[in-house]
Amino acid sequence: MHVPVLAERCLELLAPALTADADRPHPVLVDATLGLGGHSELVLERLPEVRVIGIDRDPDALARSRDRLAAHGDRFVAVHATYDQIPQVLAEHTADGRAQAVLMDLGVSSMQLDQAGRGFAYAQDGPLDMRMDTSTGVTAAELLAEAPEAELRRILLSYGEEKFAGRIAAAIVARRDTDPVVRTGQLAELVRDAIPAPARRRGGNPAKRTFQALRIAVNAELEVLARAVPAAIASVSVAGRLVVMSYQSLEDRIVKRALAAGATSRTPPGIPVELPEHRPYLRLLTHGAETASPEEIATNPRSASVRLRAAEVVRDREEAA
């Protein structure tokens, strides 16, 4: 059973921007990482005037969400896209190209982790795929077979913060002509064998960081996210809101910087009066990053690493450009 993370808190933060009125009888929420549609379902049930545009790059997730949310009729539309394409999606599905709120629930979904055939999970043996959109792109197995050793080392170090990146990259290259790594079980075993024995006994499964790094590389997750957050901000109408949930430090750092930049005045130091064109275009709604309660973590372990940040748009982003 899919349990959306911090669902009630997300609704609490989004709802003020999604209140219907005479000028906007059907406010729009973009669920930019639709997944199985848990957050969207809650919004559609609790806020009956809201329209939800759900975006996902995973065709399987889109199909499942369409079935789950079919009862809401034309209040819900699912779109196959990456979330850096929010402006294009809104241009196609709204009259003014704007949303009143955007929600991003980043990272890999529980559905993707639970399907061994998708190749995301080190605890289950399956083909080493890791593509969120299985209709396009290079698989993790193809990446391991083709990338130079230096590039593999960079991926593991940059995206997984894996201190044994050199050992693991060398082990992959050493065997790929005779015994290429094409399954998750093979990769998990290779990582375990490549790192020193004391390191295997600390910090959970030793393959965790390698799998995270390859997933990020295969899906260009950080590059897409770095484009997506500014695109989302620019697509939200004034008084609208953006809520983002991250699950690892690299994602959270990108989100934190984008929101902090928008909430900071650009008036040069020494000028006593704030220049109108340099005023912040965001107001932060969270103090730092919020986390899940111990009670939620106990019932939904995926929430253990979540970091939630939210902001309100206080003036048009284009005016601040």
Side-chain angles (χ1 to χ4, degrees):
M1 180 63 183
H2 171 61
V3 181
V5 173
L6 292 176
E8 291 293 340
R9 180 56 175 153
C10 288
L11 184 65
E12 179 184 16
L13 288 164
L14 294 168
L18 295 172
T19 301
D21 56 32
D23 294 329
R24 203 179 299 274
H26 299 291
V28 172
L29 166 70
V30 173
D31 187 342
T33 46
L34 179 62
L36 289 180
H39 291 97
S40 286
E41 184 175 55
L42 185 65
V43 170
L44 289 163
E45 289 176 347
R46 299 278 190 88
L47 304 173
E49 304 303 325
V50 172
R51 290 180 57 221
V52 174
I53 300 172
I55 295 175
D56 208 292
R57 59 165 59 176
D58 186 337
D60 187 25
L62 288 172
R64 292 173 185 238
S65 291
R66 284 191 184 102
D67 290 342
R68 178 176 186 169
L69 303 175
H72 297 283
D74 61 5
R75 291 179 56 218
F76 170 74
V77 60
V79 181
H80 184 211
T82 52
Y83 47 63
D84 59 338
Q85 297 174 300
I86 287 174
Q88 296 93 315
V89 172
L90 283 170
E92 181 178 352
H93 293 279
T94 65
D96 61 358
R98 292 298 181 99
Q100 282 59 66
V102 173
L103 172 66
M104 296 180 177
D105 185 11
L106 304 176
V108 65
S109 74
S110 54
M111 176 199 71
Q112 291 164 333
L113 285 172
D114 290 342
Q115 294 179 323
R118 300 297 299 272
F120 290 103
Y122 43 79
Q124 303 180 72
D125 185 50
L128 197 56
D129 193 315
M130 292 195 186
R131 291 172 299 165
M132 291 181 177
D133 182 351
T134 53
S135 67
T136 187
V138 173
T139 68
E142 291 168 335
L143 177 63
L144 295 184
E146 298 167 5
E149 182 176 336
E151 174 64 4
L152 291 175
R153 184 169 61 250
R154 183 196 69 81
I155 288 170
L156 297 177
L157 187 61
S158 299
Y159 299 154
E161 300 175 299
E162 172 56 73
K163 62 182 178 180
F164 301 110
R167 287 176 175 239
I168 296 168
I172 292 168
V173 170
R175 64 181 279 181
R176 65 185 178 186
D177 288 336
T178 57
D179 185 22
V181 178
V182 296
R183 298 188 67 81
T184 57
Q186 288 178 305
L187 180 58
E189 182 180 4
L190 179 149
V191 172
R192 186 172 58 250
D193 292 344
I195 67 176
R200 301 175 202 162
R201 297 190 286 270
R202 302 192 302 269
N205 193 303
K208 179 179 179 179
R209 290 178 294 276
T210 294
F211 272 68
Q212 172 184 295
L214 291 177
R215 189 201 82 218
I216 289 172
V218 165
N219 296 288
E221 291 180 36
L222 299 184
E223 294 89 340
V224 174
L225 180 61
R227 297 190 298 266
V229 179
I233 293 169
S235 299
V236 172
S237 58
V238 175
R241 295 186 168 195
L242 171 67
V243 175
V244 186
M245 289 182 285
S246 307
Y247 295 85
Q248 42 96 346
S249 61
L250 299 174
E251 293 173 338
D252 185 54
R253 195 174 304 145
I254 291 171
V255 176
K256 178 182 178 180
R257 288 174 177 170
L259 298 190
T264 302
S265 171
R266 296 185 301 147
T267 297
I271 296 180
V273 178
E274 185 170 57
L275 302 176
E277 65 272 22
H278 290 173
R279 288 184 293 113
Y281 51 87
L282 296 179
R283 178 175 69 90
L284 300 183
L285 300 172
T286 53
H287 298 288
E290 295 184 0
T291 59
S293 68
E295 293 76 17
E296 177 164 358
I297 294 170
T299 58
N300 187 7
R302 181 172 180 255
S303 67
S305 58
V306 71
R307 299 292 181 269
L308 181 150
R309 297 181 188 272
E312 180 180 36
V313 176
V314 295
R315 71 186 184 101
D316 198 295
R317 177 69 179 88
E318 293 179 0
E319 296 175 6

